[in-house]
Amino acid sequence: MKKYVFLLIFVFAASSLRAQFVGDVSVTRKVLAERNGELVMQLEIRVARNAVTRSQSWTIIPELSTADRRSVKLFPHILINGRYQQHMMERRRRLVGSYWAERQPYMVIQADGKNDQAFRYEMKVPYETWMADATLVLRQIQTSPGGRRRIFTVDVNGAVDTQR
């Protein structure tokens, strides 16, 4: 009888742990090229329905930089919120508004747990000569309950295409 009780507890614990795993967030580089004096960047962002738990958020910051990091260009970030994080952000904005010094995201995506989603991130900035030797890197910051943060860096094979 004790075996069955322990087995039942184990199965219940395993099923509750399964909900804690994070699903997929993928970012694919579509275009990173110099065109008519501008740097054109297009990314495709796919967010699986279970990409974040209810109380998590992901911040994705595209960064173009040279190998020695003397020249760096940070692009506007993308914010992916779980359901509770989205409610908290909306509540904060209603109560106190947004701070003038706060960087606003390019887009806010709510992972609703029901549907997979796909988005296009497009940015154009004036082209500078150092960008020919730069690569695109994604900084990903996972924020979990209690304010714990984990930072990941992903190189998306992002050399700038300067050929026409």
Side-chain angles (χ1 to χ4, degrees):
M1 185 67 178
K2 284 185 178 183
K3 288 186 211 178
Y4 294 115
V5 171
F6 285 126
L7 181 62
L8 184 61
I9 290 171
F10 176 75
V11 169
F12 179 72
S15 66
S16 67
L17 287 176
R18 187 177 68 81
Q20 300 297 318
F21 295 141
V22 175
D24 291 330
V25 174
S26 66
V27 180
T28 307
R29 181 188 96 172
K30 294 295 184 182
V31 176
L32 183 63
E34 185 267 329
R35 293 184 183 154
N36 299 325
E38 292 183 319
L39 177 73
V40 178
M41 178 175 62
Q42 293 178 358
L43 305 173
E44 182 180 82
I45 302 161
R46 293 192 174 275
V47 180
R49 65 180 168 272
N50 62 341
V52 295
T53 61
R54 292 178 289 196
S55 359
Q56 283 183 331
S57 69
W58 280 92
T59 302
I60 300 173
I61 306 168
E63 173 189 299
L64 190 69
S65 61
T66 56
D68 60 5
R69 300 205 38 88
R70 287 188 181 186
S71 299
V72 176
K73 172 72 177 162
L74 292 176
F75 293 95
H77 64 283
I78 301 123
L79 183 60
I80 303 168
N81 282 331
R83 192 173 69 201
Y84 293 161
Q85 286 289 342
Q86 185 70 22
H87 289 306
M88 294 300 291
M89 184 180 80
E90 290 169 1
R91 182 172 184 230
R92 180 180 155 260
R93 281 200 180 137
R94 277 194 304 264
L95 292 174
V96 296
S98 58
Y99 299 112
W100 65 270
E102 184 178 50
R103 287 184 66 201
Q104 296 301 312
Y106 178 83
M107 72 175 63
V108 178
I109 301 168
Q110 181 178 353
D112 60 6
K114 298 175 186 169
N115 302 309
D116 293 349
Q117 303 171 52
F119 300 92
R120 186 177 284 300
Y121 180 99
E122 296 182 29
M123 190 64 53
K124 291 180 182 179
V125 296
Y127 185 79
E128 299 175 30
T129 55
W130 66 266
M131 293 177 175
D133 299 322
T135 58
L136 182 65
V137 173
L138 298 176
R139 305 274 182 217
Q140 300 179 2
I141 304 167
Q142 178 191 36
T143 305
S144 296
R148 291 177 300 179
R149 292 185 177 178
R150 296 173 60 192
I151 299 174
F152 304 91
T153 301
V154 179
D155 183 356
V156 291
N157 193 18
V160 176
D161 181 17
T162 56
Q163 298 178 6
R164 298 184 190 261

